[in-house]
Amino acid sequence: MKLTKDSISPYIIGTMRLGTWGSNLSTPEYEHFIEGCLDLGFIDFDHADIYGHYTTEKDFGHVLKSRKDLRQKMRITTKCGIKLVSENRPEHKIKSYDLTTDHIEASVEKSLASLQTDYIDVMLLHRPDYLIDPYEIAEVFSKLKKEGKVLAFGVSNFSPSQFDLLNSLTPLVTNQVEISLLQRNAFEDGTLDQCQKLKVIPAAWSPLGGGLLFKDSTDSKVKNIQKTLAVLAKKYNAAMDQVLYAWLRKHPAGIVPVLGTSKIERIQAAYKALDISLTHEEWYMLWEAALGREID
């Protein structure tokens, strides 16, 4: 499976805050939320085994168990590799990263069972493991794909060199990293250049800067961004978050924001933001505001 600008949803629906780490939705509320996203054409749902201290996948899976028709309408991404200290994983003594083949395979089996599905569309390695063996990972990826348990693979929070090392041995379809006006490293460290070169889709977690741009602040850069956002929001008759999504989506690498909300109204607002097309100069107005000065 190859993810392209045309095949992937314009947004990925993040599930981290749907469960106990956020809104703690009931099963009917999960179902309503999922259907609302699908109705807008947003078919990509982003999970990780650790979300909700290893419970959110199960919560989501309760819906898929009773509504088997929904599975074929969506694409499920999940992630593995972070080991949290949790009562649901009493064998974990400290927080660590583990990308050994045994852990990857065990994580896939647990996610399949929790999500009540026979296959995972995209499996991401959640964080780089300093003890990573890319040759072993390439082998386990091939095994899982042949077994039909995972259709495609990617990474999250990998540097360009880490991505290149693994991608040279096994094809990767995405790198999910933090990208926002407040976190611009991907524009300058080679991450987006690499995605464009390889035609790999970059996904942006925390695309709104963790909500800091919507709060009162004494930070001069935040204030500058807020002032510029207000001007553009007025021009486009939009909310500030809609302008931020449009800013990310303008980049030719095809950045796909991961939406972290549990409110369907916010998802609907993001949908309306697809009509906003910032000019080249307006994109740089926001960059300059974030930089706090004129560009060099």
Side-chain angles (χ1 to χ4, degrees):
M1 181 177 72
K2 179 71 173 176
L3 294 181
T4 66
K5 294 180 184 179
D6 295 327
S7 68
I8 196 168
S9 300
Y11 298 107
I12 296 171
I13 307 301
T15 65
M16 187 175 76
R17 290 188 169 83
L18 300 185
T20 59
W21 283 2
S23 297
N24 205 18
L25 300 183
S26 66
T27 299
E29 288 171 333
Y30 263 99
E31 184 174 352
H32 175 74
F33 179 81
I34 291 168
E35 287 187 313
C37 294
L38 294 175
D39 286 344
L40 294 170
F42 300 156
I43 66 170
D44 289 282
F45 291 83
D46 178 78
H47 288 266
D49 55 356
I50 63 171
Y51 289 169
H53 278 283
Y54 302 96
T55 64
T56 302
E57 285 183 329
K58 289 182 179 179
D59 294 340
F60 196 93
H62 291 324
V63 177
L64 298 186
K65 183 177 181 179
S66 61
R67 289 289 308 279
K68 298 187 183 301
D69 60 303
L70 293 177
R71 180 63 183 96
Q72 298 304 316
K73 299 177 182 178
M74 67 176 61
R75 187 160 43 211
I76 293 178
T77 294
T78 195
K79 300 182 282 292
C80 72
I82 299 177
K83 295 170 74 171
L84 291 185
V85 176
S86 169
E87 62 180 14
N88 295 312
R89 294 291 187 275
E91 68 275 17
H92 297 172
K93 306 306 179 187
I94 62 168
K95 181 182 179 181
S96 62
Y97 303 144
D98 188 344
L99 295 182
T100 59
T101 56
D102 286 347
H103 184 72
I104 291 172
E105 285 196 86
S107 297
V108 167
E109 295 297 339
K110 288 185 176 74
S111 289
L112 289 171
S114 295
L115 290 164
Q116 299 285 331
T117 184
D118 296 326
Y119 66 97
I120 294 165
D121 294 279
V122 186
M123 169 61 76
L124 306 185
L125 304 182
H126 205 161
R127 291 275 180 179
D129 176 1
Y130 296 115
L131 302 177
I132 190 172
D133 186 328
Y135 297 93
E136 288 187 359
I137 288 177
E139 288 181 10
V140 76
F141 279 7
S142 178
K143 179 175 182 287
L144 291 167
K145 191 168 185 177
K146 286 179 181 177
E147 293 171 347
K149 295 177 179 178
V150 182
L151 304 187
F153 300 88
V155 295
S156 183
N157 304 300
F158 272 47
S159 69
S161 62
Q162 291 165 335
F163 185 98
D164 184 62
L165 173 60
L166 189 55
N167 189 61
S168 69
L169 300 172
T170 184
L172 303 175
V173 299
T174 189
N175 191 3
Q176 185 182 124
V177 298
E178 184 178 7
I179 315 176
S180 72
L181 265 177
L182 295 179
Q183 178 51 270
R184 303 179 303 281
N185 290 346
F187 295 96
E188 300 182 305
D189 67 6
T191 296
L192 295 179
D193 300 335
Q194 182 180 59
C195 288
Q196 287 185 275
K197 177 182 178 180
L198 300 176
K199 296 184 178 180
V200 166
I201 295 297
W205 63 266
S206 196
L208 302 180
L212 292 176
L213 295 174
F214 310 108
K215 300 176 182 177
D216 291 336
S217 176
T218 57
D219 187 298
S220 60
K221 290 182 181 179
V222 171
K223 286 184 174 182
N224 287 338
I225 294 172
Q226 290 172 334
K227 289 178 182 178
T228 306
L229 281 173
V231 171
L232 293 173
K234 182 177 181 180
K235 174 184 174 181
Y236 289 99
N237 191 27
M240 291 199 300
D241 61 336
Q242 293 174 315
V243 175
L244 289 170
Y245 291 138
W247 185 81
L248 286 172
R249 286 178 44 76
K250 185 171 179 62
H251 194 278
I255 299 169
V256 181
V258 179
L259 307 185
T261 182
S262 62
K263 301 184 186 305
I264 197 63
E265 313 84 65
R266 296 284 300 280
I267 303 292
Q268 292 166 341
Y271 176 82
K272 293 178 181 178
L274 297 176
D275 293 330
I276 300 174
S277 180
L278 299 178
T279 68
H280 209 89
E281 194 170 69
E282 287 168 346
W283 192 92
Y284 273 100
M285 284 171 59
L286 285 167
W287 182 277
E288 181 180 272
L291 198 61
R293 57 175 173 80
E294 186 179 75
I295 62 172
D296 296 330

